[in-house]
Amino acid sequence: MVRFGADQAASEKAAQAVLAKPASQPVEVIDAADGVSLRIAQGFDRAWRGVGLGLDRGGFTVEDRNRSDGVYFVRYIDSDQANEEPGFFARLFGGKDNTAPQKYRLIVAGQGDVSTLTVQADDGTALGAEQKPTVRRMLNVLRDQMLR
């Protein structure tokens, strides 16, 4: 700024203001006591479109969507369950198949310039603590695809 004619004090003050301001992530996974959610630094319209693109890129199967309610109905195969090898007896006697896709509801809710994405069970109920790692993996995949 000094090269362009500003005085030294003003340019240092402007540089400090830029450096002091924390860089906000456009999409970040929030882990709270009540569950895991995805915070999107965009209004509802742009967040809805971004989530849709992220779902398409991330390998989710979108069965249905309801934009007026902000709901995506998706199927997801958990990568940890898909990679598990069945044991000897499971292979011998045909144990249960863990690679079946699970159905979820993804709810996009906007408040001003910030939107939140939460995950619910297929019937609209809250997911239990045992499914928190799966939800975290889903949201991380979605976040990575939205940041592309």
Side-chain angles (χ1 to χ4, degrees), residues 12-13 29 49-50 60 63 68 70-73 85 97 100 108 110 116 118:
E12 287 178 5
K13 187 176 180 181
V29 177
R49 183 174 182 274
F60 293 84
E63 291 185 338
S68 61
V71 180
Y72 283 99
F73 298 91
E85 287 291 324
D97 185 16
V108 180
T116 305
T118 56

Side-chain angles (χ1 to χ4, degrees), residues 5-19:
D7 63 348
Q8 183 70 26
S11 63
E12 287 178 5
K13 187 176 180 181
Q16 290 299 324
V18 169
L19 293 175

Side-chain angles (χ1 to χ4, degrees), residues 27-131:
V27 181
E28 62 183 332
V29 177
I30 305 295
D31 198 356
D34 59 342
V36 183
S37 62
L38 194 67
R39 185 186 153 282
I40 305 166
Q42 296 175 340
F44 176 79
D45 293 331
R46 294 196 61 167
W48 175 263
R49 183 174 182 274
V51 169
L53 290 172
L55 290 170
D56 289 341
R57 292 178 190 157
F60 293 84
T61 303
V62 178
E63 291 185 338
D64 198 8
R65 62 191 72 178
N66 184 343
R67 189 176 191 286
S68 61
D69 292 338
V71 180
Y72 283 99
F73 298 91
V74 300
R75 286 185 309 189
Y76 175 73
I77 297 176
D78 190 9
S79 60
D80 281 357
Q81 289 180 353
N83 292 335
E84 287 181 5
E85 287 291 324
F88 173 74
F89 289 109
R91 286 192 306 254
L92 187 62
F93 296 112
K96 73 175 189 175
D97 185 16
N98 287 338
T99 60
Q102 298 296 313
K103 294 182 180 183
Y104 297 97
R105 288 185 186 192
L106 276 61
I107 313 293
V108 180
Q111 279 188 310
D113 291 341
V114 177
S115 299
T116 305
L117 176 78
T118 56
V119 180
Q120 296 178 348
D122 185 38
D123 58 359
T125 59
L127 295 171
E130 69 277 355
Q131 292 179 318

